[in-house]
Amino acid sequence: MTRTASARLKLTVALWGVILALVVVCAVSVGAALHQSAAAADRSGPGSPPPRPGTAAPAQGDAEASADGVVTEEDGILPAGVSVFDDAYPGVARLSPELGDALRRAADDAAQQGVVIHVNSGWRSPEYQDQLLQDAVSDYGSEAEAARWVATAATSAHVAGEAVDIGSFDAVAWMSTHGAAYGLCQTYSNESWHFELRPDAVRGGCPTPYADPTQDPRMQG
């Protein structure tokens, strides 16, 4: 091998070494990004701060530690895919009987049209509600902004068993159109997934939703 050929061979080997190093760095960077995305997805859900306006109803996530211990299914946390018929979960079983009955009738009729109504959040313990409020304050940076999304344990319709957050997008759209026939009404414009029982709506239709919970007189307590 000539000196020139040897030099070219060394240069080629060096270039391939650089290319291989770049490939490894890119692979590590992509892996790290995917890991961060997965971790962020794991933290999403009602146990985390509420979504920004226009987003879908949050799905339940893993329990999070609170000042009083660990929030669990006994506090109302629900796994993904729970239906209005899954009374094994306190988050469904402890809804008021009237609300639960209306939801089951609506779900039966929706199913005949190919729409499945899931319960993302129903009854919540005061501890769970407090955790959600703390998360919202942390996410939004102030108690005033958090109040637009999460009520206190003392005023929350969820704690009273009188509210339900439903999914999916199809279910929300179906309920928005047909819910009044069962007395089920959207309460807040910024939370399209949040429904409460309004028996008078069966005859007179649902009342105009409040812009957000801060406009609801019940939240002033």
Side-chain angles (χ1 to χ4, degrees):
M1 180 182 295
T2 65
R3 182 175 301 177
T4 301
S6 176
R8 287 178 180 173
L9 178 59
K10 290 180 179 179
L11 178 59
T12 300
V13 171
L15 288 174
W16 276 110
V18 171
I19 292 172
L20 180 59
L22 290 174
V23 170
V24 171
V25 170
C26 290
V28 171
S29 298
V30 170
L34 291 175
H35 176 76
Q36 292 176 353
S37 297
D42 288 342
R43 290 193 298 270
S44 64
S48 299
R52 301 293 182 181
T55 58
Q60 290 287 6
D62 294 334
E64 293 189 16
S66 70
D68 297 323
V70 175
V71 177
T72 69
E73 286 181 357
E74 294 302 313
D75 294 285
I77 282 182
L78 297 173
V82 169
S83 81
V84 300
F85 302 98
D86 289 335
D87 287 341
Y89 298 100
V92 174
R94 297 189 66 173
L95 291 172
S96 73
E98 296 79 12
L99 175 57
D101 178 67
L103 283 168
R104 286 187 286 272
R105 288 189 287 109
D108 278 335
D109 290 345
Q112 295 180 18
Q113 299 179 35
V115 177
V116 178
I117 297 177
H118 291 135
V119 179
N120 289 332
S121 189
W123 168 83
R124 301 170 186 159
S125 71
E127 291 77 17
Y128 184 16
Q129 190 68 27
D130 285 342
Q131 180 67 61
L132 293 179
L133 184 56
Q134 293 169 20
D135 290 343
V137 171
S138 176
D139 185 52
Y140 289 103
S142 71
E143 292 183 0
E145 184 62 19
R148 296 185 59 245
W149 300 97
V150 183
T152 65
T155 60
S156 172
H158 282 282
V159 174
E162 299 291 349
V164 63
D165 293 344
I166 67 168
S168 60
F169 286 110
D170 289 344
V172 171
W174 189 93
M175 192 76 82
S176 298
T177 301
H178 303 286
Y182 309 89
L184 297 169
C185 298
Q186 291 176 331
T187 312
Y188 307 116
S189 294
N190 68 331
E191 295 185 9
S192 61
W193 54 84
H194 178 105
F195 285 83
E196 297 182 30
L197 185 64
R198 301 285 184 269
D200 291 343
V202 175
R203 293 184 178 181
C206 291
T208 301
Y210 297 107
D212 60 60
T214 64
Q215 305 302 309
D216 186 344
R218 300 174 301 169
M219 301 298 109
Q220 309 308 315

